[in-house]
Amino acid sequence: MIRRLFAGTTPEPPPAELWRQVRARVPWIAALDVERDQRLQLLAARFLRDKTITPVAGLSLDEAQRTLLAALCCLPLLEFGAEGLHGWSQLIVYPDAFRVNRTHVDAAGVLHEWDDELIGESWESGPLILSWADIEADLDEPDAGFCVAVHEMAHKLDALDGVLDGTPPLPRAWQKQWARDFQRAFDAFADEVDREHETAIDPYAAEAPEEFFAVCSEYHFSDPQALREAMPAVAEHLRKFYGEFAIGER
């Protein structure tokens, strides 16, 4: 257990009717026991108080949708606690996938420029960015292995120690074991992807250790059985880090 105490005054939980709507829409939340549900309500209330939720590109979000976003973003914090919200202040929500301009200077000094189409992004010291359409798609298929909000929040947790490397802040002994087990699993998985073998986990996880952590975090919530079967050591670390979730069991 690595949960921290809340700092400062704890805000009131969301109105009961709004929270009922959240539970009806989000199976991962509906499956929580009373104690963890109450803990999530307080985290979501803190999120709504401390973060600016900014819909863009013509998107409009009502109070229930904002509460749902806060709850989804706080799901990965149930054991870690409110310290996972530190270091950033804004959630930007697009109606659908969005484009970002990328640049790269190669070894020869040539500038390359291109556009990426994304469904989520997490800036190390900046905003969290999500596609509302993809959030809804994740909720429509809650056992399909995807949850963009969890993915991007995993990056926020990863960045808390100042290094985006797939290892969030942990007690020292656990951190060493985590880094060893995740690196071993990542290397084996990346080799499978390089060989073009079919994998149970989204091949995007082979992009980098930080993406491996974020993708595996999605599976912890949305298809934990697949994660346990493919990478039992990783699954056990995430069970300890995030807590137990039953959605995705078959």
Side-chain angles (χ1 to χ4, degrees), residues 26 28 47 68-77 88 91 119-122 128-132 134-136 138-139 146-157 214 217-218 221 242:
V26 187
W28 307 306
F47 187 104
L68 183 149
L69 283 165
L72 274 177
C73 289
C74 290
L75 260 183
L77 308 183
W88 58 287
L91 168 61
I119 64 172
E121 190 171 32
S122 177
L128 189 77
I129 309 173
L130 297 172
S131 156
W132 179 251
D134 287 276
I135 287 169
E136 296 224 281
D138 293 341
L139 297 178
F146 303 106
C147 182
V148 64
V150 165
H151 184 110
E152 302 307 335
M153 282 300 297
H155 285 320
K156 287 296 187 186
L157 289 168
S217 294
E218 294 185 74
F221 289 90
Y242 291 127

Side-chain angles (χ1 to χ4, degrees), residues 82-158:
E83 286 188 12
L85 296 174
H86 289 179
W88 58 287
S89 61
Q90 186 179 29
L91 168 61
I92 299 172
V93 189
Y94 281 84
D96 211 325
F98 52 93
R99 289 185 177 274
V100 295
N101 181 257
R102 306 291 197 195
T103 60
H104 170 69
V105 179
D106 65 22
V110 177
L111 175 66
H112 301 268
E113 188 171 1
W114 70 98
D115 285 338
D116 265 349
E117 187 171 80
L118 304 177
I119 64 172
E121 190 171 32
S122 177
W123 297 3
E124 191 168 338
S125 298
L128 189 77
I129 309 173
L130 297 172
S131 156
W132 179 251
D134 287 276
I135 287 169
E136 296 224 281
D138 293 341
L139 297 178
D140 288 340
E141 295 187 84
D143 58 356
F146 303 106
C147 182
V148 64
V150 165
H151 184 110
E152 302 307 335
M153 282 300 297
H155 285 320
K156 287 296 187 186
L157 289 168
D158 189 0

